[in-house]
Amino acid sequence: MNLIDKTIAFFSPKTALNRVRSRKELDIINSGYDNHGASSKKKAMQGWNVGAGSVLEDIEMNIPTLRERSRDLYMGAPLATGAIKTMRTNIVGAGLRLNSQIDADFLNMTTEEADAWETNVEREFALWADSINCDAQRMNNFYELQQLAQLSWLQSGDVFTLLPVMPRMGMPYDLRVKIIEADRVCNPYNTTVIDLDGKLVNGVEINSFGEVIAYHIADEHPNSTVLTSINNWKRIPKFGANSGRLNVIHLMESERPEQRRGVPVLAPVIESLKQIARYSEAELMAAVINGMYAVFVTTETKENGSGLSSISEDEEIDGDDDSSIEIGNGTVHFLEENEKIQESNPGRPNPNFDGFVTSICRQIGAALEIPYELLLKHFTASYSASRGALLEAWKMFKMRRDWLANDFCQPIYEEFLAEAIAKGRIYAPGFFTDPMTRKAYCGAEWNGPSQGQLDPLKEVNAAEKRVNNGFSTRSSETVAMGNGDFFKNHRLRTLEEKVRREDGLIPEESPPTETKAKVQEDEEEEVKEE
């Protein structure tokens, strides 16, 4: 009881009792999260003051800073560079390849007709995709553009792609792919992140329903110091007003509803990566300095005295800076009168460095969905543990691969297919008149690099059992094992075996002997006849 309750209890015990009972009931009401994560009474929570900002305050206004820091880490922090390149290599690799999969039943096509149509489409697509003419800048083919888009997406949080029509000599297709860096999509003339009426957010224009209707793209990078002319912004509708054609492809990962721009993948671990980079640089410098151990000689004369400078003036890098002292490998220093050295033992290299960095890398890997073994490319655990780490990482790689295939590869392929059909190079009746027919013709799979095997023999045995038990197909397992197209492999193997047999490298097969079951059937037939 506090002083007030004691005073009341002296004059009216019943009233004081009611006050105490009410206070206990109030404590019961303040239960659940109020006693845990939402508590404002616990000392551990009292200093945790956060605001409930909208997606504009929490994300959109911070994206430019996050983007700049993410790129800086990619350029200067080995761990960040490795994380992003690990994702790029496993998600895209050499590029996601087209595997046309049309709905033959809906299109009333036989299996042979569908296979012939798909083969022809893949051949036509390869004519366009394998050439640098598919790139508006004529620098990369389609598969290299996938790598560029994925890398930029991870670094900057999002990336944009335009699909201009640009005729070129020697290329029957006019569709081009133009990748736009995230910085170029911004509010005109570097105004605030959000305009006054709230309909333009970081260069993304929305209507009253929140639908994205257009993007505002600068002709040149807004922060460039070598602008060739006055920078201008163009408003490009997301879809064509008359055709409904997709004009702008926007690759991003949404974290919250009503989010318009993407967040770099390194955003949650920017601070950890920067501190690890600083720590690594400090340890490296300390180890280098410790390796340059020198001998110091004291003398009472000044003839040989040279102070603390251990190298000649010709070898000095910043001799004009009086605050820096340069040392060399295995040098001898002569000290002047009244000078002496206080020797220290820095203890480098630090034996705890590796364990500490590994511990932080585990946390960074958890945030990026990359097991630290894969993040550091250091597999020292058992086969089961290493395989478990790879399988866990592969879930994330497959998810992001599906995003890239659905949001980048498939829309571009559909635009290519529409042009090929319109020009008569591919026959597809009903493509432009019936949406269901168009969807049936546009069916496709995009196959990328395989998962890889720690023990190839075990993986092959498992694949064989999946096929024999009907859990999978030979085509699927061929792709999963990273060996291309089953039907192409089958045709090539048939030709190889035929040539080897004709050259006598394989003996002619003897006619098959009767099995016990066949012999038993014949005997039973003879008994019936008798």
Side-chain angles (χ1 to χ4, degrees), residues 322-450:
D322 295 334
S323 63
S324 78
I325 299 174
E326 298 185 35
I327 61 176
N329 299 323
T331 55
V332 178
H333 305 267
F334 290 90
L335 304 182
E336 296 183 0
E337 187 178 358
N338 297 325
E339 291 182 347
K340 65 179 181 178
I341 293 297
Q342 181 66 43
E343 188 176 0
S344 63
N345 183 17
R348 295 296 188 274
N350 185 356
N352 299 321
F353 174 80
D354 186 66
F356 175 75
V357 170
T358 301
S359 177
I360 300 299
C361 286
R362 286 193 176 98
Q363 300 180 38
I364 294 174
L368 300 179
E369 296 184 276
I370 303 178
Y372 84 96
E373 297 97 335
L374 186 58
L375 183 64
L376 299 177
K377 305 295 188 296
H378 185 62
F379 296 91
T380 57
S382 64
Y383 169 83
S384 300
S386 298
R387 176 172 170 76
L390 291 176
L391 289 175
E392 195 64 28
W394 196 248
K395 296 177 184 177
M396 180 270 291
F397 296 145
K398 290 180 64 178
M399 176 188 68
R400 294 185 183 274
R401 178 182 296 178
D402 289 342
W403 287 350
L404 183 68
N406 295 333
D407 297 348
F408 184 80
C409 299
Q410 186 65 24
I412 294 175
Y413 167 65
E414 292 180 9
E415 288 297 320
F416 162 84
L417 194 59
E419 181 184 358
I421 295 171
K423 290 186 173 181
R425 295 185 66 89
I426 296 175
Y427 180 69
F431 184 88
F432 294 106
T433 57
D434 183 11
M436 282 299 297
T437 302
R438 183 173 185 138
K439 178 177 176 58
Y441 278 118
C442 290
E445 292 180 352
W446 296 92
N447 300 321
S450 61

Side-chain angles (χ1 to χ4, degrees), residues 430-486:
F431 184 88
F432 294 106
T433 57
D434 183 11
M436 282 299 297
T437 302
R438 183 173 185 138
K439 178 177 176 58
Y441 278 118
C442 290
E445 292 180 352
W446 296 92
N447 300 321
S450 61
Q451 179 177 342
Q453 301 89 30
L454 293 177
D455 190 333
L457 180 59
K458 291 182 179 179
E459 301 291 344
V460 170
N461 290 336
E464 183 180 359
K465 288 186 177 181
R466 285 194 294 267
V467 171
N468 292 338
N469 288 282
F471 302 144
S472 181
T473 64
R474 285 181 167 83
S475 297
S476 299
E477 294 300 332
T478 302
V479 172
M481 300 295 290
N483 296 318
D485 189 328
F486 167 77

Side-chain angles (χ1 to χ4, degrees), residues 26-68:
L26 186 61
D27 291 339
I28 295 174
I29 294 175
N30 292 334
S31 60
Y33 283 117
D34 185 65
N35 287 331
H36 302 284
S39 173
S40 59
K41 298 178 181 179
K42 290 184 176 181
K43 292 184 177 181
M45 297 294 184
Q46 287 178 355
W48 191 353
N49 300 318
V50 295
S54 70
V55 68
L56 298 176
E57 290 84 7
D58 290 351
I59 296 179
E60 300 291 353
M61 292 183 175
N62 297 313
I63 282 178
T65 301
L66 292 175
R67 187 187 300 144
E68 294 165 1

Side-chain angles (χ1 to χ4, degrees), residues 53 141 180 189 254 302 318 348 355 408 438 444 484 506 520:
N141 62 25
I180 303 294
Y189 306 104
S254 298
K302 296 184 179 181
D318 55 350
R348 295 296 188 274
F408 184 80
R438 183 173 185 138
I506 300 179
Q520 186 176 357

